[in-house]
Amino acid sequence: MSQAVLGARVQRKEDARLVRGRGRYTDDIRLPGMLYAGVVRSPYAHARIRAIDTRALEKLDGVVRVYTGQDLKGRLGSIPTAWIPPDSDLKTVEHPALAYDKVRYVGDGVALVVATSRGVLEDALEAIRVDYEPLPAVYDQLAAMKQGAPQLHQDAPQNVALHWRAGTDTEDAFRRADVVVRRTFRQQRLIPNPMEPRCAVAQYDEATGELTVWATTQNPHIHRFLMANILGMPEHKLRVVAQDVGGGFGSKIACYPDEVLVGYAARDLRAPVKWTETRSEHFLVTTHGRDHVDEVELAGTKDGRILAVRVRAYANLGAYLSTAGPGVPTILFGLIVNGAYDIEAASSEVYGIFTNTTPVDAYRGAGRPEATYLIERMIDSYAREIGMDPVEVRRRNLVKKDQFPYTNPFGLTYDSGDYHQTLDLALKTLDYDALRQEQAALRQQGKYLGIGFSTYVEMCGLGPSQVAGAVGFQGGLWESALVRVHPTGKVTVFTGASPHGQGEETTFAQIVADRLGVPLDDIEVVHGDTDRISMGWGTYGSRTTAVGGGALALAADRVVAKAKRLAAHMLEVPEAAVEFEQGRFYPEGDRRRGVSLQEVTLQAYLAWNLPSDLEPGLEASAFYDPTNFTYPFGTHVAVVSVDAETGEVRLLRYLAVDDCGPVINPMIVEGQVHGGVVQGIGQALFEGARYDQDGQLLTASFLDYAMPKARSLPRLETLHTVTPSPHNPLGVKGVGETGTIASTPAVVNAVMDALSPLGITDLPMPLSPPVVWEAIQAARQSGGVS
Amino acid sequence: MIPSAFRYRRAQTVAEALDLLRQEPEAKLLAGGQSLLPLMKLRLARPGTLVDISRIDELRRFEVRPDRVVIGAMVRYHQVLANAELRARLPLLPQAVAVIADPQVRHRGTVGGSAAHADPASDLAAVFLAADAEFVLQGPQGERRVQARDWFLGPMMSNLQPDELLCRIEIPLAWPPHQAYLKFPHPASGYALAGVAALVSRAPDGSVEDVKVAVTGAGQLPFAAQGVTAALKGQTLSRQLMREAAERGAADGTYADDGPYSAAYRQNLARVMIERALAKASES
């Protein structure tokens, strides 16, 4: 049993309900007397609120209450950020749940309406008249930093929210370099779109003074922590529950005004209140991702040795600081811009900038895709500059197997790896030489085939709490687990992580089944409820299995340790002479006698005959704080063809070779890689928010915002190598974000490789048909080879 | 996502539907609802009354006759796809229907609803124009017939008057099965950035007896690419000739910049897709 369960392609336990429509999402909650809340949102990107006229509501039956920003001023705390990078001069500007003087982006809330039905609510939202005085707006971070640009916040001159630096001196390396490559990259703004938009339901119990908030969150305990403060209520009287959550990709980390408002209204009105985001609202107000302008310089020798890399990044943070917003373009980006390469000198300088746009926060990968994009694109640019195969440049600069643990120029210690092995496996699988020959032959026929690589490393498994503190994250990053064996031998597992689609109800059950030797079906994984789980930090940063799973393994081992003492007592042998295998305890070397964990458990609860120093019951908890991040890595390869007549990029092959340590469930890992890769392809080829000069979002629905679709994707090939992390109990590294981190540059590198005969070196993402076609036209007109 | 309040009336006959259209304030006909209902939920459309015509038997006629196919306004896309005879006689139509939206939409959406909605990027617009569809309307003054070339008056504006009902669409079965519909979908919406319907008939010597091409999505309005007919009629097809014909055909459209898609890109896309549709139709 135990050999079989870890590493087995076990079907996801949660799917039995999810694929049959039996999941229980927040919006499925119906409470007696429940009211419906909606937010009146600014149609302007920047405006002063002159007056709010709600008189029209008097004629509408079923409107219960309207709150304006002025009504709530002083009654609710500011929505805080939870990440204050050290030495960054971060301007922690006020973020009221409802704007009371000025709106700062399209979608900024100005009033909350509560009504008896959704129909009445939507009529009421339309009927409210807000008198705005429009102000000049700025949506672009570079424009926002200029003299005379519209100012968003009084306390942030020139809209600079933060200025942060890290790394080593690079001057010497640049002086010694044969070649210096300079590029400016724009990493466009993305709009995360989980299947389920956000939702919150709140209910106040007058008898106990307890407020329960059901919310679509990736981290209910962080929500409780922040909301208790904002709402001004004791933390133990606030319960936050994340039922089934239909995906988040980072966009459900943040504490938003909406759930705070719902909690406030439920307490104030003494009635349950629900708010459900529409998809149109989601595009406008749920946090966006990426949005960088990056100036990058790489110094190298002419024989392919990289000496230094330095980056200056301008990160658009949107109108307010979101929960993790300031940490994403600094800590999660600037400390790993050397990527998987052994580069002696590297530095990062980051400006975080306020603009009249939706706040920006974590989006799958959060900072690490941005960093990886830069270094992987620079490797290819450098390779082209010195006339070397980009594979060879990678081979010469990747950190070598015998260099681990490897400390990068920013002080991060990469835990373990064999980067060259993933590259070799990818080349062999592709038959790289044959592919290059095919490319050459096609070029003779005027056809454009491209091969692009990305040999990435990621820092994840967030993370050691001491480091979290040192980098300004306003929380710990350890994780909790409780393993409770019930008297009959059935098991409930409580985790402080909060999976919302990643499949840990299954992988966590596999971990426990392996440790305890009990059947998978006898294990229930409970998560996402601050009343059932003492504390936890949630699911993001590919931390759930590495940290939450680590806590679980430790807790399960403690259960076994206690059971073993009782088993020794029952078997009448010394504890040291008890062996535990596949759910049974045996006297050493004697398989004829033995007691099952189930039998031991029953005795633990009956407590008729326990050793004198043993307490009844059988459960154990663990609070596991990792000593380091984990560093999954791998080689991704995209093979593309470019249709020069339409500009369309077609993916012919996509190969992902990943090393995330031991694989607990190959099917789930493949699913994570598939989804991640597709999201990264989305950035490379399809997705991108666009604003007009007034700060209006032009890509505000699926009519204009292109998500990747099945018809545009090839069959994804996935392979693995296994290099355990040396520092966590399971050796696992995390795989939730690797695909997204690796695939964007692999695809863009492939397209640039395809277009290299035309002399095209870089194009702005997304590489949509008109972008590619216009570049080809321009190249041909300027006399490039066709 | 909740429409503003509206009245709902169900008509049992065409006459009743016309009466309701006249009597009810700001009345709008409801067929498959795949375009109208989303607009209402976004409150971009606010009809006072919805007149449901889905139960009117006359509008559900669907016949493939020797000389023409008659498609009642309430015939749903999936019915078109399921019709084997149509696949043999007018393959262009099911080819186009197969790439409309997704299976859910194809099971609710109707041919007549699409025609009346007159989206300038609808796939069927190219088919109607290329195959000389005829729209049969009923109004207070009785029956009126409109040719496809007179149907698309503007974006989301057909020749249908507010007091009229589109009863059926008749498409002549005048072409051999050398037909193709090719679509380059918008990466976000899936609507045609360029959708091209092409019909080719060959003389016994292999030369082009006649050819008709129409383009949807690329231009400001769907259009018949008459330049193709002029360039190819009587000629023997070659790649070079098809390329030139596509160039002339694309020039029949009027194009405008739209976000990332410049007018030049759209015209180019129309040209490329015409050329490819011609090649596919002539090979079929």
Side-chain angles (χ1 to χ4, degrees):
Chain A
M1 157 100 226
S2 61
Q3 284 95 338
V5 73
L6 217 54
R9 303 180 74 89
V10 175
Q11 291 200 342
R12 296 186 358 145
K13 287 163 75 88
E14 44 271 76
D15 285 348
R17 65 174 192 278
L18 295 177
V19 302
R20 292 185 301 170
R22 303 267 166 83
R24 283 162 304 166
Y25 296 92
T26 308
D27 189 54
D28 292 327
I29 294 171
R30 304 268 187 282
L31 299 171
M34 190 168 75
L35 304 172
Y36 297 82
V39 179
V40 179
R41 300 192 180 278
S42 168
Y44 295 100
H46 201 191
R48 206 166 291 289
I49 303 165
R50 282 209 200 97
I52 299 176
D53 178 359
T54 61
R55 279 171 301 180
L57 299 188
E58 288 158 19
K59 286 184 231 127
L60 279 175
D61 261 356
V63 177
V64 176
R65 185 70 196 266
V66 181
Y67 304 94
T68 66
Q70 286 292 349
D71 295 338
L72 299 187
K73 195 179 167 191
R75 289 165 196 252
L76 279 177
S78 173
I79 311 282
T81 183
W83 207 328
I84 304 173
D87 306 320
S88 68
D89 195 21
L90 182 72
K91 309 290 194 243
T92 51
V93 296
E94 185 194 13
H95 182 189
L98 289 174
Y100 56 84
D101 59 345
K102 230 169 71 151
V103 289
R104 293 181 174 87
Y105 67 101
V106 174
D108 208 354
V110 297
L112 182 80
V113 182
V114 185
T116 52
S117 77
R118 278 206 78 163
V120 173
L121 173 67
E122 294 199 21
D123 288 344
L125 291 172
E126 278 190 323
I128 292 177
R129 294 279 161 264
V130 184
D131 183 11
Y132 293 101
E133 177 194 337
L135 300 170
V138 62
Y139 70 92
D140 176 84
Q141 59 265 54
L142 298 185
M145 287 179 83
K146 290 200 175 119
Q147 283 290 346
Q151 290 294 299
L152 270 83
H153 301 278
Q154 225 168 12
D155 305 335
Q158 281 174 268
N159 299 311
V160 174
L162 66 86
H163 182 206
W164 175 92
R165 296 164 207 251
T168 65
D169 177 66
T170 56
E171 286 304 323
D172 179 54
F174 273 88
R175 266 195 303 272
R176 285 188 286 122
D178 301 327
V179 181
V180 174
V181 185
R182 293 190 175 84
R183 291 276 185 278
T184 299
F185 297 106
R186 214 171 237 285
Q187 305 200 57
Q188 79 276 31
R189 175 179 289 241
L190 302 181
I191 303 179
N193 266 297
M195 285 217 282
E196 179 207 30
R198 290 186 300 119
C199 181
V201 180
Q203 183 173 37
Y204 184 70
D205 184 332
E206 269 193 273
T208 62
E210 283 173 12
L211 179 69
T212 301
V213 178
W214 293 266
T216 49
T217 170
Q218 298 176 218
N219 29 249
H221 291 88
I222 293 182
H223 257 80
R224 181 179 63 167
F225 192 52
L226 296 173
M227 284 176 67
N229 203 24
I230 302 164
L231 289 166
M233 64 184 301
E235 190 179 4
H236 67 292
K237 294 289 190 187
L238 179 61
R239 177 185 181 192
V240 177
V241 187
Q243 299 193 150
D244 281 325
V245 175
F249 310 115
S251 73
K252 291 172 181 167
I253 292 174
C255 178
Y256 290 88
D258 312 293
E259 47 261 31
V260 171
L261 292 169
V262 167
Y264 180 88
R267 190 178 59 180
D268 190 49
L269 298 170
R270 301 290 195 259
V273 179
K274 176 193 277 188
W275 168 80
T276 304
E277 186 183 58
T278 65
R279 184 64 68 176
S280 306
E281 245 179 332
H282 179 89
F283 272 92
L284 292 177
V285 305
T286 292
T287 55
H288 293 175
R290 318 281 189 259
D291 205 344
H292 272 220
V293 177
D294 301 295
E295 298 165 358
V296 195
E297 294 175 291
L298 180 147
T301 65
K302 54 181 183 296
D303 61 353
R305 183 75 202 150
I306 302 168
L307 302 176
V309 61
R310 62 186 174 210
V311 175
R312 181 181 291 131
Y314 301 90
N316 193 337
L317 299 180
Y320 301 99
L321 300 177
S322 184
T323 301
V328 173
T330 52
I331 310 305
L332 296 179
F333 162 83
L335 298 182
I336 196 160
V337 296
N338 62 299
Y341 307 99
D342 177 19
I343 302 174
E344 60 184 68
S347 68
S348 306
E349 179 177 12
V350 180
Y351 289 92
I353 300 148
F354 291 118
T355 63
N356 295 111
T357 61
T358 304
V360 177
D361 204 314
Y363 178 44
R364 200 169 191 171
R368 290 144 294 161
E370 293 91 316
T372 306
Y373 185 75
L374 298 186
I375 189 67
E376 291 303 314
R377 289 286 299 119
M378 288 306 281
I379 295 277
D380 273 39
S381 305
Y382 170 52
R384 208 192 280 198
E385 198 98 357
I386 59 171
M388 190 177 279
D389 187 323
V391 168
E392 186 55 30
V393 174
R394 285 181 168 80
R395 194 185 292 289
R396 290 186 188 190
N397 290 280
L398 284 170
V399 177
K400 293 180 188 64
K401 190 181 171 185
D402 59 13
Q403 288 178 282
F404 290 97
Y406 169 81
T407 301
N408 85 348
F410 301 93
L412 295 179
T413 302
Y414 298 4
D415 55 354
S416 61
D418 186 347
Y419 299 173
H420 291 84
Q421 191 189 6
T422 64
L423 180 60
D424 291 338
L425 181 55
L427 294 175
K428 187 168 150 246
T429 307
L430 280 175
D431 197 351
Y432 182 57
D433 294 336
L435 207 51
R436 284 288 180 204
Q437 281 164 19
E438 185 188 344
Q439 179 184 42
L442 285 168
R443 278 180 183 170
Q444 295 295 317
Q445 304 166 32
K447 289 183 178 161
Y448 301 98
L449 181 93
I451 309 158
F453 286 81
S454 169
T455 40
Y456 75 96
V457 65
E458 178 200 1
M459 89 197 254
C460 69
L462 313 180
S465 300
Q466 199 181 348
V467 178
V471 299
F473 181 66
Q474 305 296 300
L477 284 171
W478 48 267
E479 202 44 87
S480 77
L482 169 64
V483 175
R484 176 174 296 152
V485 189
H486 301 285
T488 56
K490 308 293 182 194
V491 181
T492 306
V493 170
F494 301 84
T495 173
S498 195
H500 45 279
Q502 296 85 350
E504 272 92 0
E505 287 177 33
T506 307
T507 43
F508 279 11
Q510 286 179 268
I511 293 168
V512 173
D514 173 64
R515 299 266 161 166
L516 300 187
V518 300
L520 209 55
D521 287 343
D522 286 357
I523 302 165
E524 182 83 12
V525 177
V526 174
H527 57 82
D529 184 341
T530 60
D531 260 17
R532 298 185 76 184
I533 296 125
S534 65
M535 185 56 199
W537 294 98
T539 286
Y540 43 81
S542 302
R543 69 186 302 274
T544 302
T545 305
V547 188
L552 199 53
L554 294 180
D557 289 348
R558 287 173 190 170
V559 164
V560 172
K562 179 175 179 181
K564 196 175 189 180
R565 290 178 61 196
L566 179 51
H569 183 70
M570 290 164 71
L571 292 167
E572 298 179 322
V573 295
E575 193 188 328
V578 176
E579 291 176 341
F580 180 58
E581 201 183 305
Q582 302 195 16
R584 282 187 79 79
F585 296 93
Y586 303 96
E588 198 172 13
D590 179 4
R591 291 293 150 118
R592 290 164 308 166
R593 289 200 302 143
V595 286
S596 70
L597 178 69
Q598 191 179 11
E599 290 167 304
V600 174
T601 305
L602 184 61
Q603 292 309 317
Y605 280 96
L606 293 175
W608 292 341
N609 181 12
L610 298 182
S612 58
D613 57 347
L614 202 67
E615 292 176 1
L618 189 58
E619 66 177 57
S621 61
F623 293 78
Y624 168 62
D625 198 356
T627 55
N628 190 3
F629 300 103
T630 55
Y631 292 85
F633 58 90
T635 299
H636 283 215
V637 193
V639 183
V640 304
S641 69
V642 177
D643 182 338
E645 287 194 305
T646 63
E648 189 183 21
V649 174
R650 290 201 195 101
L651 275 159
L652 304 178
R653 276 184 87 172
Y654 194 94
L655 170 65
V657 181
D658 294 296
D659 192 324
C660 58
V663 171
I664 293 169
N665 186 325
M667 188 173 67
I668 287 178
V669 166
E670 275 165 26
Q672 287 292 320
V673 173
H674 287 174
V677 163
V678 169
Q679 266 174 317
I681 291 171
Q683 176 166 23
L685 298 182
F686 305 110
E687 299 184 45
R690 286 181 288 114
Y691 286 90
D692 74 5
Q693 286 305 320
D694 299 325
Q696 295 290 334
L697 182 63
L698 297 171
T699 50
S701 81
F702 290 131
L703 281 176
D704 297 297
Y705 188 85
M707 300 291 285
K709 303 196 171 57
R711 66 162 185 260
S712 311
L713 301 165
R715 203 179 68 81
L716 304 171
E717 303 165 59
T718 57
L719 291 171
H720 289 274
T721 60
V722 177
T723 311
S725 172
H727 65 76
N728 75 40
L730 297 163
V732 297
K733 291 192 164 190
V735 74
E737 298 166 297
T738 55
T740 316
I741 288 166
S743 65
T744 308
V747 172
V748 175
N749 280 339
V751 177
M752 294 311 132
D753 183 50
L755 298 178
S756 62
L758 292 162
I760 295 167
T761 55
D762 190 43
L763 291 174
M765 295 186 288
L767 303 177
S768 64
V771 165
V772 173
W773 180 77
E774 276 154 26
I776 292 172
Q777 296 302 108
R780 284 176 174 169
Q781 268 158 29
S782 70
V785 193
S786 68
Chain B
M1 287 306 290
I2 309 263
S4 57
F6 61 90
R7 279 158 58 81
Y8 172 87
R9 304 294 300 271
R10 182 188 294 153
Q12 302 293 347
T13 63
V14 169
E16 193 186 344
L18 291 174
D19 282 346
L20 288 168
L21 267 184
R22 200 168 53 244
Q23 291 157 9
E24 295 282 330
E26 293 169 73
K28 195 106 176 108
L29 298 175
L30 174 68
Q34 298 306 290
S35 299
L36 178 58
L37 295 185
L39 287 172
M40 289 172 62
K41 287 183 173 182
L42 292 167
R43 301 199 170 199
L44 296 171
R46 298 162 184 269
T49 302
L50 279 189
V51 179
D52 185 346
I53 56 170
S54 63
R55 310 281 174 101
I56 302 176
D57 283 340
E58 186 188 333
L59 304 184
R60 294 195 278 192
R61 276 171 63 188
F62 185 21
E63 299 161 18
V64 183
R65 298 187 197 158
D67 65 328
R68 57 186 47 230
V69 54
V70 177
I71 306 169
M74 277 305 305
V75 170
R76 297 184 198 268
Y77 297 134
H78 74 95
Q79 293 175 269
V80 174
L81 286 176
N83 191 309
E85 209 181 341
L86 201 62
R87 274 204 299 275
R89 306 276 322 269
L90 187 63
L92 178 65
L93 181 59
Q95 276 183 47
V97 168
V99 294
I100 294 173
D102 51 48
Q104 288 93 324
V105 169
R106 292 196 291 270
H107 275 78
R108 298 290 305 167
T110 62
V111 176
S114 168
H117 189 58
D119 191 307
S122 94
D123 297 292
L124 289 182
V127 175
F128 294 148
L129 284 167
D132 291 319
E134 195 175 21
F135 300 85
V136 183
L137 320 177
Q138 281 289 337
Q141 273 78 49
E143 189 178 285
R144 188 162 78 93
R145 286 177 170 257
V146 179
Q147 299 301 313
R149 62 177 175 273
D150 301 321
W151 184 252
F152 297 98
L153 301 182
M156 317 308 237
M157 195 200 291
S158 71
N159 200 320
L160 187 69
Q161 298 305 303
D163 57 356
E164 286 179 318
L165 173 83
L166 170 62
C167 291
R168 63 185 183 276
I169 297 155
E170 299 186 3
I171 305 178
L173 296 173
W175 292 84
H178 304 305
Q179 310 180 357
Y181 181 75
L182 271 193
K183 174 182 189 171
F184 192 96
H186 186 290
S189 68
Y191 279 96
L193 262 179
V196 176
L199 298 152
V200 179
S201 86
R202 294 275 187 82
D205 66 356
S207 67
V208 175
E209 188 173 61
D210 199 3
V211 56
K212 279 206 75 176
V213 168
V215 181
T216 187
Q220 289 182 288
L221 282 181
F223 63 93
Q226 284 156 343
V228 175
T229 312
L232 293 184
K233 210 163 170 173
Q235 305 285 325
T236 303
L237 282 180
S238 69
R239 286 189 65 171
Q240 181 59 28
L241 201 58
M242 282 194 279
R243 175 164 287 243
E244 285 164 21
E247 188 99 47
R248 286 177 64 182
D252 289 327
T254 47
Y255 305 89
D257 292 345
D258 176 22
Y261 303 98
S262 66
Y265 180 75
R266 287 172 165 275
Q267 180 160 353
N268 170 70
L269 202 58
R271 179 189 68 74
V272 173
M273 297 307 286
I274 290 173
E275 191 183 332
R276 291 178 185 180
L278 279 172
K280 190 175 171 209
S282 58
E283 284 159 16
S284 64

